[in-house]
Amino acid sequence: MVFKKMLGALGVGGPSVDTVLSNPNTRPGLMLDGQVNLRGGEVPADIDSVTVSLVTRVEVEQGGSEFGGVSEFHRLVVSGPFHLAAKQQLSIPFQLPMPWETPVTHMYGQSLYGMTMGLRTELAVARAIDKGDLDPVAVHPLPVQERILEAFSALGFRFKGADLEHGRLYGVQQTLPFYQEIEYYAAPQYAGTVNEVELTFVSNPAGVDVILECDKRGGFFTGGQDTIGRFTVSHAEADRQDWVALVDSWVQATTSRYGALRAQQPGYGAPHGYGAPQGYGAPHGYQQRRGPGMGGVVAGAALGVVGGMVAGEMLEDAFGGDEGFFEE
């Protein structure tokens, strides 16, 4: 019996955990329902806590290089301390509220390439943490987000890639430590003006901040430029707008800043160091960025079946642990 207790403390013959979601499909701002099913091991165990958390893969830039890691961004304590008898079976229901800024991973039932998310269950036994279980979660766009993504596709923008970047966005009320970044190749009608467009959604209970970053590469004698526009829409507008026309006007308004920014650069008649205003106005504002790369203020969700976005990793394929689950 003493030997069995020692094994139980080390996780051998200890309690097992299996989390079952009522429906793995959800949206930002909704509840994710499920239950944690526990089964006692060979010996009784004192459980300190049961916790579920949302985890995803985030890219971090540091020292000029970029690396990815698994990041937990939201958690819920399902249960406090209790005693679990040997072989006892116990189910604990839970409701996890999805943060409004939760990145989108699916569209039209298809996973978005580069996006993975899971619900991790942690069982704390005898002051040791057992990661326990990891289940895939499919986050679908809010109606407003979906309309905007459909409009980008209808305008001819082609999906390039999507990921999560660690950091904060300038001028935006942001609660998560990362933002979802999505890149589009420019639609044909904008090919002479901009090379790529990046899109970010930062949602809240009232609506969505939409940030566009339009990138124009430099030539032999000119440096590259990025201009940023921010726009705000309410959730109530989802079925009240001509979204193709509205998104087109956003892109045109943002890219129209290139001429003004060039006029403000040294060599174009402006004092050295003079740049575009850094604030955002209503209904939109702009910020200048210079440099060869995109890597800025971006993203949200991507249209999964139009423009070649499908072919994302299916989360069911790897539950052996965090590293396998988020392996690219």
Side-chain angles (χ1 to χ4, degrees):
M1 177 62 74
V2 174
F3 180 66
K4 282 188 176 181
K5 287 184 178 179
M6 291 176 61
L7 291 177
L10 295 173
V12 179
S16 61
V17 58
D18 177 35
T19 299
V20 178
L21 295 174
S22 301
N23 186 348
N25 298 284
T26 186
R27 284 179 172 176
L30 297 183
M31 290 289 182
L32 187 67
D33 299 339
Q35 62 183 30
V36 178
N37 299 320
L38 298 171
R39 180 180 176 84
E42 297 295 328
V43 296
D46 289 319
I47 309 298
D48 295 332
S49 65
V50 180
T51 305
V52 294
S53 60
L54 292 171
V55 293
T56 188
R57 183 178 178 84
V58 178
E59 301 296 326
V60 180
E61 292 186 12
Q62 189 175 40
S65 60
E66 186 173 76
F67 59 91
V70 177
S71 175
E72 175 190 298
F73 65 95
H74 189 51
R75 66 166 33 215
L76 174 71
V77 177
V78 174
S79 174
F82 63 94
H83 182 78
L84 187 68
K87 304 296 183 179
Q88 179 185 357
Q89 297 187 30
L90 180 66
S91 293
I92 307 174
F94 67 87
Q95 285 191 317
L96 177 68
M98 301 294 291
W100 282 95
E101 295 174 27
T102 302
V104 176
T105 66
H106 284 65
M107 185 79 170
Y108 295 135
Q110 301 290 341
S111 62
L112 306 182
Y113 179 77
M115 298 306 305
T116 53
M117 186 173 299
L119 181 77
R120 184 168 62 193
T121 305
E122 293 181 359
L123 190 64
V125 184
R127 300 180 182 178
I129 301 297
D130 181 3
K131 298 299 183 183
D133 197 18
L134 188 63
D135 297 271
V137 176
V139 184
H140 300 264
L142 295 163
V144 166
Q145 295 172 328
E146 186 172 327
R147 304 296 186 274
I148 293 171
L149 296 169
E150 290 172 343
F152 266 93
S153 178
L155 287 167
F157 288 90
R158 292 184 299 115
F159 174 75
K160 179 183 178 183
D163 63 6
L164 300 178
E165 296 288 337
H166 182 269
R168 297 282 177 177
L169 299 170
Y170 176 83
V172 177
Q173 293 295 322
Q174 183 181 345
T175 61
L176 296 184
F178 57 79
Y179 51 90
Q180 189 176 19
E181 183 175 72
I182 185 171
E183 299 178 4
Y184 287 99
Y185 292 110
Q189 64 269 32
Y190 291 109
T193 305
V194 63
N195 294 333
E196 297 172 357
V197 175
E198 298 178 339
L199 168 68
T200 298
F201 296 129
V202 181
S203 302
N204 57 63
V208 181
D209 283 328
V210 182
I211 298 100
L212 299 184
E213 180 177 1
C214 297
D215 171 48
K216 185 173 178 63
R217 303 292 186 192
F220 287 108
F221 304 106
T222 58
Q225 290 181 326
D226 293 354
T227 57
I228 297 172
R230 194 190 75 180
F231 312 87
T232 300
V233 292
S234 69
H235 296 298
E237 296 179 64
D239 296 319
R240 301 177 184 175
Q241 290 280 1
D242 180 345
W243 288 103
V244 173
L246 183 59
V247 170
D248 186 48
S249 72
W250 290 349
V251 177
Q252 290 190 43
T254 306
T255 57
S256 69
R257 297 291 294 176
Y258 283 128
L261 294 177
R262 288 185 59 186
Q264 294 166 1
Q265 292 179 5
Y268 288 95
H272 182 75
Y274 181 80
Q278 296 297 302
Y280 292 110
H284 52 254
Y286 305 92
Q287 177 183 357
Q288 180 185 10
R289 288 170 54 91
R290 294 180 185 149
M294 295 284 286
V297 194
V298 264
L303 185 56
V305 292
V306 181
M309 295 189 187
V310 180
E313 308 107 27
M314 300 307 291
L315 301 182
E316 308 85 79
D317 293 340
F319 293 153
D322 287 357
E323 293 303 318
F325 185 86
F326 294 100
E327 187 176 18
E328 293 190 21

